[in-house]
Amino acid sequence: MTTLSPPRPPARPPQHPPHPSPRYRRPLGLAREGWLQYGVLLLLAVLVLAPVVPTLYQSFLDRPLYEAGGVLGAGNYVRLFTEAGFGQVVLNTALFAGLTTVLSLLIAVPMAVVVVRTRLPGGRVFAAAMQWPFFISSLILGFGWITMYGPAGFVSVEVRQALGFLPWNLYSIPGMALTEAVALAPIVYTFCANALRQSDASLEAAAQVCGAGPLRILRSVVLPLLRPPVVYSSILVISMSVETLSVPLLFGQPVGINVFSTFLYRNGLQSINPDYGVLGAASAIILVVTVSLVALQARLLKNAQRFVSVRGKATRPRPLDLGWLRWVSVAALAFYVVMGALIPIGGLVFRSFTQVFTPLQSPFRTLTGDNYERVFTYPVYVQSIVNSLLVAAIGAVLVSVLSLLAVMVARRSTFRFARAVEYLALAPQAMPGIIVGIGLFWALAFAGLGSLIQGTLWALIIGFGLRALPSGFGSISPSVMQIGRELDDAARVSGADWLRTFTRILAALLRPAFAGALILTFVTLLKEYSPAVFLASADSNVIGTTMLELWVQGNTGSVAALAGLQIAITAAFVGLAGLLLKGRNNDA
């Protein structure tokens, strides 16, 4: 019989370990990450609520909120619908937004299906061409459309001479909707194309086995699976149509067609004695409408799992052969790209090199560089370019950093308010730019900071940055979700806290996503202008507001020159950033 000896007692650890244990460092780590997480939450809450709360408060106040003795009531809303003609504004906005959405879907959905799921000559070229409007603001596109398709435009004159009449009218709600749809169709295209590239081809293969032809497969299998991206992009287009200022201001205001945005612009900025109560009530209604659209979007997509076709064994979809219809598709795509983009933008750039741009004589007889010389001669124009670059550069860095921190807190932490951080970061997508400008204007005046920040570049950085925050968050979030949590767990086992895990491990893996967010936010901030309508001053105008002022003055040559410069700056920045990122990826 073997006698087992009692186990030895464990060795007594030294009284002074050479390295502190994780338990010893945990309180300090929790304190650090707690301060940072609550700081991100507080900063986002202040940024989001700063324009919203004053707007809602002003809508019930009988005088400007910075004046003492105000009385709360619903009188502003009563006057809005009885005296200000707001009912017609609501009807015009509904018609404009609805028609824009329908036209965007009719343009983009067939294009996405044809480019992604069929054998199309030049498919890659068309896929790249569909991304152009993101780099060009709708304000510049509106200028280009007026230059070429307006009553006195080059194309309009030729068509009128050939047909005896002009079959379109830009200065109408259908004309406004068509122009806006051309600018917003690539958004619908992007969502639908991404969904088509990721879906499984087994359903199409099953339909082919059953004897279905290409058109039947597209109609019965492919199109029904596009319901989630169509719903999401449709509501996004409606929201953007409700808030847009450029096209309604250029096309609608000259003929008395007012929508939400131009109503605020006319009764706020252009009014000698603005009625802040009515302005606040109208702003509150627009804010409620856009927030309701975003909530409706989330509700409609709640059961989107019914449309999931990407599984573990998904196969790559086979391009369908449309036969002779592929040439019809090529002609339709080319017509959209050429007529909707190349001709208007090319005509606007060509206008920047002419003294007089009229169909009555050859533009080659009046070629000149005076428009660009004028832009670089007048300090006001130069300052607007410098201001735009400063706001875009500084704002891109600040927004990208805040977006990265917000994503990390929302998606990779145990913070109790992580969901609130995500909601706050995405909330500005439901806030129209002109509402951001008005709300921040009131917030700065109420807080007594109007003399310090109002009219400065910092006010523009805050307003523009708030508008770009959802884009930055959405750009970084997918990359964070693709990084396995085992890296976090390994760092925690090694004694690292949340902040050290982020700075030492995750930050290095997220550099490409951060660089992408910088590019995206820079381009977004460079073409933004609507909050500046209420936040800028004579010394802090940006390219967009300067172009609007010059257009009202009839100085179309300088407008075209500024538009050409903005397009050139955007193209140069995107091209350089693409080369740098490509070089880094090759080195890696």
Side-chain angles (χ1 to χ4, degrees), residues 401-478:
V401 171
L402 180 58
S403 300
L404 178 60
L405 293 176
V407 170
M408 294 303 303
V409 173
R411 300 291 171 84
R412 300 303 280 259
S413 74
T414 57
F415 187 45
R416 59 184 301 184
F417 300 112
R419 185 64 60 86
V421 170
E422 181 175 1
Y423 287 157
L424 288 172
L426 296 176
Q429 69 181 352
M431 299 168 61
I434 197 166
I435 302 298
V436 171
I438 295 175
L440 287 177
F441 172 81
W442 283 329
L444 294 174
F446 182 75
L449 300 176
S451 59
L452 297 177
I453 301 179
Q454 179 67 35
T456 66
L457 293 184
W458 288 111
L460 301 185
I461 291 173
I462 295 173
F464 290 11
L466 182 60
R467 291 269 293 160
L469 182 60
S471 299
F473 186 94
S475 177
I476 298 176
S477 180

Side-chain angles (χ1 to χ4, degrees), residues 204-215:
E204 299 174 25
Q208 287 178 333
V209 171
C210 296
L215 294 180

Side-chain angles (χ1 to χ4, degrees), residues 400 403-405 407-409 411-412 475-484 487-488 501-518 581 584:
S400 299
S403 300
L404 178 60
L405 293 176
V407 170
M408 294 303 303
V409 173
R411 300 291 171 84
R412 300 303 280 259
S475 177
I476 298 176
S477 180
S479 299
V480 173
M481 297 175 65
Q482 291 175 354
I483 300 177
L487 297 177
D488 305 49
T501 301
F502 166 59
T503 56
R504 295 296 181 87
I505 299 177
L506 298 180
L509 298 175
L510 291 174
R511 286 176 184 171
F514 184 78
L518 281 174
L581 291 178
R584 289 188 177 185

Side-chain angles (χ1 to χ4, degrees), residues 154 349-372 374 557:
F154 263 80
V349 173
F350 198 79
R351 170 67 184 93
S352 68
F353 289 100
T354 60
Q355 292 179 346
V356 179
F357 197 64
T358 174
L360 301 178
Q361 68 175 6
S362 173
F364 291 98
R365 298 177 58 183
T366 60
L367 292 178
T368 181
D370 291 345
N371 294 319
Y372 288 95
R374 187 182 304 110

Side-chain angles (χ1 to χ4, degrees), residues 294-311:
V294 174
L296 176 63
Q297 180 187 81
R299 183 175 181 84
L300 292 175
L301 295 180
K302 185 176 181 179
N303 297 322
Q305 290 296 325
R306 297 186 295 120
F307 302 94
V308 171
S309 65
V310 180
R311 301 299 182 185

Side-chain angles (χ1 to χ4, degrees), residues 131-150:
Q131 308 300 320
W132 65 263
F134 173 75
F135 304 108
I136 302 173
S137 69
S138 57
L139 180 64
I140 294 179
L141 185 64
F143 290 144
W145 270 63
I146 292 177
T147 302
M148 303 306 293
Y149 304 129

